Each structure stands twice: as structure tokens, then as C-alpha cells.
Amino acid sequence: TTIGLAVALADRLDSIVGLFAVGLVPSGTSDPYGLRRAAVGIVQIALGRKLDLDLRELIDWASLGYTRDLGENFVTDDAKTEALAFIIGRERVVLRETFNHDVVEAVLAEQGHNPYRAAEHARQLSVWIKSKGWENILDAYARCARITRNQDETYVLRPDDFAEQVELNLVKAYQEIAADLSRKPDLDEMLTAFEKLVPKISAFFAPATEGGVLVMDPDPDVRANRLALLQHIVAMADGVADFSQLEGF
């Protein structure tokens, strides 16, 4: 029943949050309060009932029951972070029973706080990595990600300042695709959209003799705008999956 479901989740969350708040956490093989079992239970309930739950919100909610005599909440942010990581650790074990380890790590990096959504993304990603064009898709994304991941600055995209045809083609295609993406796309939607960019990304990174451009142009404004475009493309995967965790990245 709905009431039984709510009580089952509340009971497990209450135990985990309360005991983590006072430092009574499992260590090694020692788990006297059955917190690992409670965490697995939360994950299994979410998966079994297909519940779109944000564990961060549930942990915040569970912490409200823990106050000192004068009403001060004593569940620290560190305790909440540790409790979330603990549940995700059990989630990792559950998902690895079905999916490859790199697929699990990729989805947990962005969706670990939502077990059902993470499992759905793992299922979708498992199909994609077996598809005929996957190597080209991952390679195109990796080229954008590798050149931007060490940048300390998030650059402002200035579409009107592009001059080369290959970069104009890419920014136009990106803008059209980004406008059609839902606010919270699943992995299928995101990769279906990204796949349309692959030929234009390949052309963008082609040698200058073949019409490509140098991303790290000596002109700082040109360089910044090209990096901004690539940062926006990489950000399409935010909240979906961390593809750098995949084999072959």
C-alpha cells in the first residue's frame, strides 16, 4: 500500500540518518544496526516501485526529526553527505548485478541520488554502447570534453561572433538541438540529440586544410568563444551521465 511504502522508506531513512548523525556507522564487516540492509531496501523499493525519488531531499526530510532540547537540528551537512554516499554505495552493488561496472559508474556520477533514474539510464546506456555508431558518438563527445575539462573558467557563448563556416554550422546545430531538449532529459533523449552533432563536431576538429578550426586559437576572444561552444555541448550530459567513466573514453 502507499502507506506501507511510505513507512518502509521512512523507517530505513530514519535509521540511516539518525545513526550517521551520531557516528554509529558500519565499519568493515561490522553492521550491528543493519544499515547496509536498510540502504539496499531503499534502493530495492525505488527500483521495484519505479519511484522517481531524490535521496538528497529524503535525507534532508529525515534529518528534521533530530533536534536538541531547544529545537536545534544536530544532523550536520557532513553526516547527510556521508549517509547519501552510503546509500549510493549499496546502490552500486545492486546495479552491478545487472550492468557493466563502467556503465554503473557513469550513471551514478550524475544520478546516484535517484536510484530508479540511475537504473533506467544504465539500461539505456547499455543499449547505446552496443549500437553500431557508438564509437563515433563517444569519440566526438570525448574530444569536446578533453579539451575543456582542464579549463578553470566557464566561458560565455557568443554565437554572433563566429566567423568560420564550420563553427557557424556547429553552433547553429547545437542551438536547434538545445532548444528542443526537455528540462530534464533522459539518456536516450540526450544521446539522440547529441548524435546529430557528431558529423559537425568531426568537421569542427578536422585539420585546417580540410576546413576545421584550431580551438586554442592565439586570439583569446576566438579561443574563448570556441571553448564556450564546446563547454555547452559537454554540458548536455549534465544530470544524465559522466561519459568519461566509460571504457574507451
Side-chain angles (χ1 to χ4, degrees):
T1 65
T2 302
I3 293 175
L5 177 65
V7 172
L9 286 171
D11 176 43
R12 289 163 172 78
L13 285 161
D14 176 70
S15 296
I16 292 172
V17 172
L19 289 166
F20 266 78
V22 295
L24 297 176
V25 302
S27 60
T29 59
S30 176
D31 186 13
Y33 300 101
L35 296 189
R36 292 190 180 96
R37 185 171 63 251
V40 170
I42 292 170
V43 173
Q44 290 176 333
I45 289 171
L47 299 185
R49 295 296 291 268
K50 299 181 179 181
L51 300 177
D52 189 350
L53 299 174
D54 189 330
L55 294 176
R56 299 168 300 187
E57 295 179 359
L58 295 184
I59 288 172
D60 282 341
W61 168 80
S63 72
L64 297 178
Y66 291 94
T67 59
R68 291 186 170 84
D69 293 340
L70 298 179
E72 178 189 357
N73 190 288
F74 65 82
V75 182
T76 66
D77 288 341
D78 284 345
K80 293 179 185 178
T81 299
E82 291 169 5
L84 176 62
F86 177 74
I87 299 174
I88 292 175
R90 298 299 95 193
E91 181 183 347
R92 175 177 286 106
V93 173
V94 172
L95 293 182
R96 281 186 175 180
E97 293 176 359
T98 305
F99 307 107
N100 291 342
H101 75 280
D102 59 330
V103 169
V104 172
E105 294 307 313
V107 298
L108 288 185
E110 293 291 331
Q111 289 289 335
H113 58 275
N114 192 323
Y116 173 65
R117 193 168 166 83
E120 280 296 287
H121 282 194
R123 179 186 60 79
Q124 294 172 10
L125 184 54
S126 296
V127 175
W128 276 92
I129 63 176
K130 295 175 183 177
S131 64
K132 184 177 180 181
W134 174 247
E135 288 186 8
N136 291 334
I137 293 171
L138 184 60
D139 180 66
Y141 185 86
R143 296 184 78 173
C144 298
R146 290 195 196 104
I147 202 167
T148 57
R149 62 185 172 186
N150 293 324
Q151 297 295 319
D152 296 327
E153 183 178 350
T154 300
Y155 297 98
V156 176
L157 179 60
R158 296 171 280 109
D160 294 338
D161 288 353
F162 286 120
E164 302 296 332
Q165 189 60 51
V166 71
E167 57 191 359
L168 288 168
N169 292 342
L170 180 56
V171 74
K172 181 182 178 182
Y174 164 74
Q175 288 177 315
E176 291 174 352
I177 287 169
D180 290 336
L181 277 179
S182 61
R183 186 182 62 84
K184 192 178 180 182
D186 64 12
L187 189 137
D188 276 343
E189 181 186 354
M190 179 263 153
L191 283 179
T192 298
F194 180 81
E195 188 174 20
K196 298 175 184 177
L197 294 178
V198 171
K200 293 178 173 57
I201 291 173
S202 297
F204 182 83
F205 281 107
T209 55
E210 299 176 19
V213 296
L214 177 66
V215 176
M216 305 306 284
D217 193 275
D219 185 321
D221 290 334
V222 173
R223 180 172 65 247
N225 207 23
R226 289 173 180 168
L227 287 169
L229 175 56
L230 298 181
Q231 286 178 335
H232 276 69
I233 291 172
V234 171
M236 290 173 65
D238 289 354
V240 176
D242 179 1
F243 297 116
S244 71
Q245 300 291 332
L246 296 175
E247 292 182 5
F249 181 84

